[in-house]
Amino acid sequence: MNSLNLVFAAGNIGRIDFKETKTTPVVNLSLAINERIKRKDGTTLDKTEWVNVVAFGGTAELIAKHCKKGDQLGVMGSITTLSLIHISEPTRRTPIS
């Protein structure tokens, strides 16, 4: 059975980094996705999930030119797992790209 790797997310930009590489522009940003949960006792709990997003090429240039920290942004992309080797320990990250 084939699967579908498609993600839609909307939230507020936390950090935004633009880099111009030799081949293509790249934007790395964090997106805060807020959710309000109503408990059984009637109180509410605000929960924030942080998602890493990577954009390339023209999309990266558009985000760098028009978006800043705190702006609302909707993204559509796919999940890709990156393995990073750090001095102390290897880590894995799963950004939306």
Side-chain angles (χ1 to χ4, degrees):
M1 180 176 164
N2 291 335
S3 60
L4 179 65
N5 185 358
L6 185 62
V7 176
F8 296 93
N12 296 80
I13 297 172
R15 97 182 133 66
I16 184 167
D17 298 316
F18 177 73
K19 293 182 182 174
E20 189 83 44
T21 66
K22 291 180 183 178
T23 57
T24 186
V26 178
V27 164
N28 289 291
L29 62 89
S30 60
L31 197 64
I33 302 170
N34 299 310
E35 179 181 13
R36 179 164 284 166
I37 301 168
K38 189 170 184 177
R39 297 179 176 172
K40 290 180 181 180
D41 65 1
T43 61
T44 58
L45 172 68
D46 291 329
K47 181 180 173 187
T48 303
E49 292 291 335
W50 288 92
V51 177
N52 294 316
V53 178
V54 181
F56 302 95
T59 304
E61 290 175 339
L62 187 71
I63 292 170
K65 183 176 180 182
H66 297 287
C67 298
K68 64 185 181 308
K69 183 177 180 174
D71 286 351
Q72 290 185 342
L73 182 68
V75 296
M76 179 180 74
S78 59
I79 294 178
T80 307
T81 301
L82 303 173
S83 294
L84 306 171
I85 299 175
H86 192 269
I87 295 171
S88 59
E89 62 186 56
T91 59
R92 292 176 58 153
R93 301 235 168 112
T94 307
I96 298 172
S97 58

